């Protein structure tokens, strides 16, 4: 009988052994075979932030797990947040003293031990009876910032009372249509000791539609104001003396607007993909800020979040200009273990941060200009005829999944005349007219001069089957992804490409004679034109088969007159203008 009881117990345990859907999280070897569904796994099993999500999924009810995990619509932005990091590489520099790693930073003038913080996330009580107080205590013990949500399980006063002496916390707030409620909450936040307000500015009128959680609970009017404008924002600033940081900014334009309006900081966030599906990630927005308004980084502190689970993610966002980086879902998952779990999570991230900084040869996480040098946001896909990829000196580049931008270019009607060159040691080339799809690749080209030297050195004898020439190449850069433009470059003789229209008759005759004498002299300069995909093949034809119009393409005034305010040369209008003038 006793033997039967033991056997039965073993059978029950086996039946309850956990097979958890890890939802595509990185497989780092976590063994859940000994876990029991509905029971908190041993915290010793967990060694990274993703482990805490799997543990939370094992122990939380389906409804409460869905509340934390849910995102808007098809969860495209949620997945982009999680997977952007796969497109990033960290450079490691040797011969650097990393014996004293510094991760301390200041946020709105308050000193913290690391450049990451616990971001606003609602209903910590779903994970633990200790609710937000667990996060307060863990952040205080680590000297990190915690910013509770206005939709917390505990009240503003309860959260404030859980803080240790001298602990600095900010608080998140929504723009309620009920201004009396808004004023009351702002007053209570200040009285409870919070030092700043993270004001969510994009969640107006309604919540995002979150299918995963709608299966357990209906949606509804969130009570947010749907008439919130810049005027409303300025009025709200007069409702409190606490610093206000707009949160939920998702465009470079709005980042600059917040700087122009005099805010001390701005928070780039798509709320973990919970509001607008297909919204850009923090990486993409920061890249846009660098491209459009780089001066903003010297005017305002920038915070960012979205899919951050590793110190390498934090380093990436710091390199892109963020002052501090938020952790959203991860602390909520860790809270299933209470304060102990949140403290362990923060300790793991801090250890990863000091380790990663040391391994890449960067002793100070605050040195943004130095940290930038460690991050390659991927190989910009540079096309050439032959096609060339390069990284320029800034090293902040947008990678395109599956080289989709190359595929788009090669599929543009009447335009596929490219062959790919992937690196500076390549000696053989793809056949003329590369066929999409093209596999992703990262190149080692380091600037235009190296590209010019490469085409001159390797293309003196073009490979059979193609028209590759040492006098021309093309580049796709970060703009190409957004405006479908390509840069064409061609070498030329500054003497031969003089514009005959600027000469007298005698000068023209003398110039013709000298051109014949100097016909064998090599080209001495290069010129570039940015054109739309649809016009690139025509421009290449004009450059390769010289005619009267070709000379105009090397005339500074003519090119400038037909280049728009975005720097795109308008080939068709230039050609029509030339033909009208000639007629």
């Amino acid at each position: 009988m006793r033997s039967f009881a033991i056997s039965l117990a073993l059978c029950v345990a086996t039946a309850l052994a956990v097979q958890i859907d890890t939802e595509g999280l990185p497989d780092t070897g976590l063994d859940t075979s000994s876990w029991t569904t509905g029971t908190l796994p041993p915290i010793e099993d967990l060694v990274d932030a993703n482990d805490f999500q799997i543990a939370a999924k094992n122990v939380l009810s389906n409804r409460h797990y869905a509340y934390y995990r849910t995102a808007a619509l098809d969860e495209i932005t949620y997945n982009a947040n999680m997977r952007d990091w796969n497109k990033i590489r960290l450079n490691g520099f040797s011969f650097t003293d990393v014996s004293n790693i510094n991760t301390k930073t200041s946020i709105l003038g308050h000193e913290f031990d690391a450049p990451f913080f616990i971001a606003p996330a609602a209903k910590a009580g779903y994970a633990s009876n200790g609710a937000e107080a667990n996060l307060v205590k863990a952040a205080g013990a680590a000297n990190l910032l915690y910013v509770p949500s206005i939709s917390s399980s505990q009240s503003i006063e309860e959260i404030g009372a859980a803080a240790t002496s001298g602990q600095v916390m900010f608080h998140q707030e929504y723009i309620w249509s009920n201004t009396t409620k808004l004023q009351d909450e702002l007053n209570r936040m200040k009285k409870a000791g919070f030092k700043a307000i993270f004001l969510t500015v994009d969640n107006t009128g309604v919540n995002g539609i979150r299918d995963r959680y709608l299966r357990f609970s209906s949606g509804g009017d969130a009570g947010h104001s749907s008439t919130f404008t810049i005027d409303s924002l300025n009025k709200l600033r007069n409702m409190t003396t606490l610093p206000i940081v707009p949160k939920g900014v998702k465009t470079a334009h709005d980042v600059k607007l917040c700087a122009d309006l005099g805010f001390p900081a701005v928070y780039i966030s798509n709320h973990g993909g919970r509001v607008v599906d297909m919204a850009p990630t923090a990486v993409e927005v920061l890249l846009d800020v660098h491209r459009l308004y780089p001066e903003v980084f010297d005017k305002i502190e920038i915070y960012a979040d979205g899919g951050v689970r590793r110190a390498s993610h934090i380093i990436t966002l710091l390199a892109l200009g963020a002052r501090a980086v938020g952790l959203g879902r991860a602390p909520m998952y860790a809270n299933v273990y209470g304060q102990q779990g949140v403290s362990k999570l923060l300790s793991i991230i801090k250890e990863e941060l000091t380790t990663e900084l040391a391994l890449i040869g960067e002793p100070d996480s605050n040195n943004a200009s130095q940290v930038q040098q460690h991050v390659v946001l991927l190989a910009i896909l540079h096309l050439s005829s032959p096609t060339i990829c390069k990284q320029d000196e800034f090293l902040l580049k947008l990678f395109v999944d599956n080289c989709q931008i190359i595929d788009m270019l090669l599929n543009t009607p009447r335009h596929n005349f490219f062959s790919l060159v992937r690196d500076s040691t390549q000696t053989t080339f793809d056949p003329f007219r590369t066929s999409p799809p093209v596999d992703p690749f990262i190149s080692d080209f380091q600037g235009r001069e190296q590209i010019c030297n490469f085409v001159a050195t390797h293309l003196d004898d073009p490979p059979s089957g193609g028209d590759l020439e040492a006098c021309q190449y093309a580049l796709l850069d970060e703009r190409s992804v957004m405006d479908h433009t390509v840069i064409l470059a061609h070498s030329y003789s500054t003497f031969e490409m003089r514009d005959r229209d600027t000469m007298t008759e005698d000068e023209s005759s003398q110039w013709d004679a000298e051109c014949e004498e100097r016909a064998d002299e090599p080209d001495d300069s290069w010129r570039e034109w940015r054109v739309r995909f649809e016009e690139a093949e025509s421009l290449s034809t004009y450059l390769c088969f010289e005619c009267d119009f070709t000379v105009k393409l090397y005339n500074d005034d003519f090119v400038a007159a037909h280049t728009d305010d975005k720097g795109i040369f308008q080939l068709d209008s230039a050609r029509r203008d030339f033909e009208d003038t000639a007629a």
Side-chain angles (χ1 to χ4, degrees):
M1 185 69 175
R2 183 178 179 183
S3 174
F4 173 76
I6 293 173
S7 299
L8 179 60
L10 288 174
C11 289
V12 171
T14 301
L16 294 176
V18 178
Q19 296 296 323
I20 301 175
D21 176 9
T22 59
E23 303 179 43
L25 293 172
D27 181 1
T28 58
L30 177 65
D31 182 4
T32 65
S33 62
S34 64
W35 293 8
T36 302
T37 301
T39 300
L40 205 59
I43 195 170
E44 294 77 18
D45 287 0
L46 314 182
V47 300
D48 63 46
N50 291 319
D51 289 353
F52 282 97
Q53 178 174 346
I54 298 170
K57 187 173 186 178
N58 181 65
V59 72
L60 290 174
S61 68
N62 290 339
R63 179 177 182 270
H64 287 164
Y65 176 75
Y67 182 84
Y68 290 144
R69 167 58 183 81
T70 194
L73 300 182
D74 291 326
E75 302 188 343
I76 292 170
T77 295
Y78 170 86
N79 287 307
N81 284 345
M82 299 292 285
R83 294 169 184 168
D84 254 8
W85 318 114
N86 296 337
K87 310 169 188 175
I88 292 163
R89 304 294 179 266
L90 295 179
N91 284 326
F93 296 122
S94 303
F95 317 113
T96 303
D97 183 355
V98 291
S99 59
N100 185 23
I101 299 294
N102 176 46
T103 62
K104 294 182 183 295
T105 194
S106 65
I107 304 174
L108 292 184
H110 302 284
E111 300 297 323
F112 298 98
D113 280 0
F116 62 90
F117 59 91
I118 301 178
K123 304 300 180 188
Y126 286 172
S128 167
N129 290 333
E132 285 76 19
N134 293 334
L135 284 77
V136 174
K137 294 172 183 177
N143 191 28
L144 298 176
L145 175 64
Y146 172 42
V147 187
S149 165
I150 192 60
S151 300
S152 293
S153 299
Q154 294 178 315
S155 69
I156 295 169
E157 291 76 15
E158 288 173 323
I159 297 171
T164 58
S165 177
Q167 181 177 353
V168 173
M169 292 190 294
F170 303 164
H171 207 294
Q172 181 265 341
E173 178 62 297
Y174 284 119
I175 303 160
W176 303 117
S177 55
N178 183 338
T179 55
T180 301
K181 173 183 179 180
L182 177 59
Q183 182 68 73
D184 175 65
E185 289 177 348
L186 292 173
N187 293 343
R188 290 166 58 200
M189 289 171 191
K190 182 175 181 180
K191 186 176 180 180
F194 294 94
K195 302 301 182 184
I197 305 297
F198 280 2
L199 182 69
T200 300
V201 295
D202 64 327
N203 198 358
T204 52
V206 293
N207 279 322
I209 298 173
R210 304 163 189 169
D211 292 359
R212 189 180 296 269
Y213 188 62
L214 283 177
R215 303 182 190 283
F216 300 95
S217 176
S218 61
D221 184 358
H224 305 150
S225 171
S226 59
T227 59
F228 191 75
T229 63
I230 291 178
D231 288 341
S232 305
L233 180 60
N234 287 329
K235 291 178 182 177
L236 188 148
R237 295 170 78 175
N238 294 324
M239 296 174 69
T240 181
T241 58
L242 294 177
I244 291 178
V245 177
K247 178 182 185 289
V249 172
K250 295 188 288 294
T251 66
H253 172 273
D254 283 351
V255 171
K256 183 178 185 299
L257 178 61
C258 290
D260 292 343
L261 291 173
F263 285 96
V266 63
Y267 192 158
I268 296 172
S269 176
N270 56 44
H271 311 291
R274 294 166 73 91
V275 179
V276 179
D277 200 19
M278 299 179 70
T281 65
V283 167
E284 292 167 330
V285 176
L286 284 166
L287 281 170
D288 269 354
V289 177
H290 274 288
R291 180 175 62 87
L292 298 172
Y293 312 111
E295 70 280 2
V296 166
F297 292 100
D298 295 325
K299 297 179 179 180
I300 192 171
E301 291 185 7
I302 297 179
Y303 318 132
D305 67 18
V308 177
R309 300 292 178 89
R310 291 286 193 179
S312 51
H313 307 164
I314 294 170
I315 291 172
T316 297
L317 294 175
L318 295 178
L320 285 170
R323 169 65 67 90
V325 176
L327 306 177
R329 288 181 176 88
M332 306 304 281
Y333 294 139
N335 197 30
V336 296
Y337 292 91
Q339 180 185 345
Q340 179 191 14
V342 182
S343 290
K344 179 168 183 176
L345 170 71
L346 299 179
S347 177
I348 288 171
I349 300 296
K350 179 67 181 299
E351 182 179 2
E352 286 184 5
L353 183 60
T354 55
T355 301
E356 288 289 290
L357 288 171
L359 291 175
I360 66 175
E362 179 48 61
D364 191 348
S365 62
N366 283 302
N367 194 344
S369 61
Q370 286 296 111
V371 176
Q372 281 180 357
Q373 298 180 35
H374 294 282
V375 176
V376 181
L377 279 180
L378 304 148
I380 245 333
L381 300 179
H382 284 285
L383 284 176
S384 172
S385 184
T387 303
I388 292 179
C389 288
K390 86 173 183 72
Q391 303 162 2
D392 71 12
E393 293 74 17
F394 191 42
L395 295 178
L396 296 174
K397 294 305 173 197
L398 179 64
F399 182 79
V400 185
D401 282 326
N402 300 319
C403 291
Q404 64 187 34
I405 197 65
I406 288 185
D407 295 348
M408 186 185 304
L409 177 64
L410 300 184
N411 279 308
T412 300
R414 298 184 61 253
H415 187 62
N416 184 4
F417 58 102
F418 290 112
S419 178
L420 293 178
V421 177
R422 290 168 172 79
D423 62 68
S424 61
T425 63
Q426 192 166 332
T427 56
T428 59
F429 307 94
D430 293 342
F432 183 54
R433 299 182 184 276
T434 298
S435 298
V438 177
D439 292 332
F441 59 92
I442 295 177
S443 171
D444 65 347
F445 284 99
Q446 297 290 333
R448 305 294 174 84
E449 183 176 355
Q450 186 180 6
I451 292 175
C452 293
N453 290 338
F454 176 86
V455 295
T457 302
H458 290 78
L459 298 180
D460 287 336
D461 298 313
S464 60
D467 295 329
L468 307 182
E469 297 182 75
C471 63
Q472 61 182 351
Y473 64 85
L475 305 177
L476 276 184
D477 62 9
E478 63 273 19
R479 281 187 53 180
S480 301
V481 181
M482 293 169 281
D483 60 15
H484 297 179
T485 59
V486 59
I487 297 173
L488 297 187
H490 206 285
S491 64
Y492 70 103
S493 165
T494 52
F495 181 80
E496 291 184 2
M497 286 301 168
R498 291 177 59 192
D499 190 346
R500 190 186 298 272
D501 291 344
T502 64
M503 305 177 195
T504 65
E505 186 174 343
D506 289 341
E507 288 174 336
S508 179
S509 298
Q510 182 178 353
W511 176 68
D512 284 337
E514 290 187 31
C515 283
E516 290 184 12
E517 294 175 4
R518 302 171 61 166
D520 294 331
E521 292 184 5
D523 292 343
D524 59 4
S525 189
W526 286 84
R527 178 179 282 276
E528 294 181 350
W529 303 260
R530 180 183 290 277
V531 292
R532 301 196 184 280
F533 287 175
E534 294 78 8
E535 295 188 332
E537 186 172 9
S538 295
L539 178 58
S540 180
T541 301
Y542 284 121
L543 296 174
C544 295
F545 301 97
E546 295 178 8
C547 59
D548 290 342
F549 179 60
T550 304
V551 177
K552 286 292 186 182
L553 295 173
Y554 294 91
N555 182 291
D556 292 340
D557 293 338
F558 182 82
V559 172
H562 295 90
T563 299
D564 65 18
D565 57 3
K566 296 180 180 178
I568 302 173
F569 180 59
Q570 306 296 314
L571 178 64
D572 281 349
S573 66
R575 179 181 50 78
R576 288 195 301 269
D577 182 45
F578 171 78
E579 291 173 350
D580 291 344
T581 302

